């Protein structure tokens, strides 16, 4: 008999209870719902505002419909395309060299949907006022579903101006490049209705210094523009190697020249372009980036011999602009996630979204996001300018320098925005099935691709020293808000004084370009933006009293109004209405 009869009796009673009583250990509460599905267009007041400001209002119906797809099916496809990396197969099972990169079906779904929406073609096929602005809106939405597919899409879009340097080749290729038809098969270009175009400039020894390239081009017969050459050499970075053709830089006796290199020869045989391996990148996972060798690959010269950089620079300028757009989209996506999560969670007895310090952080993120979007759309509107318009020369000069300023600043700020948004969400933001983990890995990409931060700042210096009209155009732009706010006027006056002398500019280039970016953002927000947003931006960025981290807004800022402006809204799947 037990020495402890009462304890034994209690134990026996517990053991007789059904095990189902213990199946659930706790109730799940105080967890936000996923931001899914939602329409990232109809939920984005700032995006709608800036589209209207720059002649993009006619695209609302198109963007609303596309936003409904992005916020539902394409977000899901983006997760799939990033979970299952592209795989390289050098040979088929019979031993034939095929250089095939296989993608998850979700990648092809993303590409097909974007191309059918005109992501890659709208300004070329429907060049009316606001076409580049609406196209930037499509890009902005697509990027929030998957940044990786935006790489081949933007290269395809940006290839058109470069190819037009060679009218005979452009006449054959551009109609298929701008067709809203996606064909991901590994077959010759002449068997397809729609084509995608890549770009390959970077080599191991040179990086951004393409003048150090060693790849050579040898004429097959006649020399010169439009003629056939054989390319021998390598490229250290060739993104989207399953594109149908690539714009490539190679040297002739006259210097670096630009070539169009197809993956298949006109006779239907495989071109001598060999993929060495795919890059094992930390981000941009859905997009295959590769190292390639050219062993006598057929290519046609585009534009003047020895002027390859000049020929391809228009393509580079547009891909740099798209880096701005993509990074602004990443800022928006991270901010939207932070706003949504904190609205649905309570901490220390109060809603996290309403706590004063968190409101300061969230409003600051929303300010940064909208300011990035504003200057992005301004450049898109400059790209829409036509020669017959009175502001055409101004817009050309302005875009020349402003693209470098914007690319530097927005792409730099994105990583900080993503990290702060992750901190708002907490440890859940670190988990891979939350999109913030992907955004964290993606955030540095645009700051590096198409020219790092230093390259952009040196490009600003190059523009000012060689084309001083670009500086004047930039200053004229920010002076459009002259007289509307004394703090901004004083800030711009100091900036003008710094730009008077180029002495020591290279060493202090980042400081100057940062000031140019802030002055531009503030003036544009003040001239065409929401007054509360403009006032908060100026008070927190131009006074010299701002903190070094997000969440240091002055107390007078109306954080509630700014947060409300940025708040996304979950809605029924497929609902494209606002």
């Amino acid at each position: 008999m037990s020495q402890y009869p009462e304890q034994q009796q209690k134990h026996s009673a517990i053991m007789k209870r059904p095990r189902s009583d213990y199946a659930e250990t706790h109730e799940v509460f105080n967890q936000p719902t996923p931001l899914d599905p939602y329409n990232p267009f109809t939920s984005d007041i700032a995006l709608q505002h800036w589209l209207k400001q720059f002649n993009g209002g006619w695209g609302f119906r198109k963007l609303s419909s596309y936003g409904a797809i992005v916020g539902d099916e394409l977000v899901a496809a983006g997760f799939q395309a990033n979970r299952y990396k592209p795989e390289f197969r050098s040979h088929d099972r019979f031993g034939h060299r095929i250089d095939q990169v296989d993608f998850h079906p979700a990648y092809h779904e993303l590409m097909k949907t974007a191309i059918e929406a005109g992501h890659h073609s709208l300004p070329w096929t429907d060049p009316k006022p606001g076409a580049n602005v609406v196209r930037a809106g499509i890009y902005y939405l697509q990027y929030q579903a998957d940044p990786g597919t935006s790489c081949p899409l933007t290269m395809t879009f940006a290839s058109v101006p470069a190819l037009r340097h060679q009218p005979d080749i452009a006449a054959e290729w551009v109609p298929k490049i701008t067709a809203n038809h996606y064909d991901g098969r590994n077959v010759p270009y002449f068997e397809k209705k729609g084509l995608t175009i890549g770009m390959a400039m970077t080599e191991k020894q040179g990086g951004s210094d393409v003048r150090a390239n060693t790849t050579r081009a040898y004429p097959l017969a006649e020399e010169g523009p439009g003629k056939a050459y054989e390319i021998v050499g390598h490229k250290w970075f060739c993104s989207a190697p399953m594109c149908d053709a690539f714009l490539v830089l190679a040297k002739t006796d006259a210097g670096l020249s630009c070539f169009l290199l197809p993956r298949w020869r006109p006779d239907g045989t495989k071109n001598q372009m060999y993929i060495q391996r795919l890059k094992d990148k930390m981000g941009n996972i859905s997009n295959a980036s590769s190292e390639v060798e050219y062993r006598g690959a057929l290519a046609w010269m585009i534009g003047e011999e020895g002027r390859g950089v000049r020929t391809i620079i228009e393509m580079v300028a547009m891909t740099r602009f798209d880096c701005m757009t993509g990074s602004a989209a990443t800022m928006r996506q991270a901010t939207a996630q932070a706003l949504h999560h904190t609205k649905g969670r309570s901490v220390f007895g109060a809603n996290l979204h309403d706590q004063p310090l968190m409101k300061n952080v969230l409003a600051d993120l929303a300010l940064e996001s909208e300011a990035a979007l504003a200057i992005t759309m301004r450049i898109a509107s400059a790209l829409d300018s036509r020669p017959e318009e009175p502001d055409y020369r101004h817009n050309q000069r302005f875009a020349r320098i402003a693209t470098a300023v914007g690319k530097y600043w927005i792409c730099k700020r994105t990583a900080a925005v993503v990290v702060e948004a992750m901190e708002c969400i907490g440890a859940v933001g670190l988990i891979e099935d939350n999109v913030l983990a992907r955004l964290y890995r993606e955030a540095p990409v645009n700051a590096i691709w198409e020219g790092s931060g230093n390259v952009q700042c040196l490009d600003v210096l190059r523009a000012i020293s060689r084309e001083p009209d670009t500086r004047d155009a930039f200053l004229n732009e920010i002076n459009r808000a002259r007289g509307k706010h004394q703090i901004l006027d004083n800030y711009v006056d100091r900036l003008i004084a710094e730009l008077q002398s180029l002495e020591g500019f290279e060493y202090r280039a980042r400081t100057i370009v940062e000031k140019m970016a802030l002055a531009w953002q503030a003036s544009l927000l003040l001239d065409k933006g929401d007054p509360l947003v403009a006032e908060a931006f100026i008070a927190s960025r131009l006074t010299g009293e701002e903190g070094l981290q997000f969440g240091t807004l002055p107390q007078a800022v109306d954080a509630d109004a700014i947060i409300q402006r940025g708040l996304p809204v979950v809605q029924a799947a497929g609902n494209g209405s606002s």
Side-chain angles (χ1 to χ4, degrees), residues 137-168:
I138 298 172
Y139 191 103
Y140 189 80
L141 296 174
Q142 171 77 13
Y143 208 88
Q144 294 179 57
D146 172 56
T149 48
S150 292
C151 182
L153 290 166
T154 189
M155 290 189 296
T156 300
F157 168 70
S159 69
V160 172
L163 289 172
R164 285 177 174 168
H165 284 269
Q166 197 59 45
D168 54 335

Side-chain angles (χ1 to χ4, degrees), residues 277-333:
R277 62 172 177 171
L278 299 186
K279 299 286 193 182
D280 189 11
K281 299 170 293 181
M282 65 168 276
N284 212 248
I285 299 301
S286 67
N287 172 42
S289 297
S290 63
E291 300 166 21
V292 299
E293 285 187 352
Y294 307 122
R295 304 172 188 171
L298 171 71
W300 301 282
M301 184 178 286
I302 304 297
E304 294 181 58
E305 184 176 2
R307 305 297 297 272
V309 173
R310 182 180 178 183
T311 300
I312 209 170
I313 200 67
E314 289 182 66
M315 183 177 186
V316 173
M318 288 194 164
T319 55
R320 284 178 175 176
F321 165 68
D322 278 356
C323 285
M324 288 178 60
T325 311
S327 290
T330 300
M331 283 191 191
R332 169 57 188 169
Q333 189 173 17

Side-chain angles (χ1 to χ4, degrees), residues 452-565:
S452 66
N454 281 358
V455 170
Q456 302 309 310
C457 291
L458 293 175
D459 194 35
V460 173
L461 172 58
R462 187 180 302 109
I464 291 174
S465 58
R466 297 181 183 177
E467 306 167 68
D469 286 347
T470 62
R471 176 194 57 199
D472 297 340
F474 188 89
L475 293 176
N476 288 339
E477 188 79 16
I478 61 177
N479 273 323
R480 289 179 176 179
R482 172 70 68 172
K484 293 184 177 182
H485 203 294
Q486 191 60 52
I487 292 175
L488 175 59
D489 289 350
N490 294 342
Y491 191 90
V492 171
D493 288 341
R494 293 193 297 271
L495 173 62
I496 292 172
E498 287 199 60
L499 289 171
Q500 294 302 314
S501 172
L502 297 181
E503 184 179 353
F505 189 108
E506 184 171 338
Y507 184 80
R508 56 194 176 97
R510 286 195 176 206
T511 301
I512 293 174
V513 173
E514 176 179 329
K515 291 176 180 178
M516 292 173 71
L518 290 172
W520 177 22
Q521 288 178 315
S523 64
L524 186 55
L525 289 170
L526 192 61
D527 188 38
K528 294 184 178 294
D530 180 88
L532 284 174
V533 172
E535 182 62 40
F537 188 90
I538 291 170
S540 60
R541 268 72 169 172
L542 305 188
T543 62
E545 299 177 3
E546 55 273 6
L548 298 178
Q549 303 293 343
F550 290 109
T552 57
L553 297 177
Q555 199 159 4
V557 167
D558 190 345
D560 289 318
I562 294 169
I563 289 170
Q564 190 60 39
R565 180 176 173 83

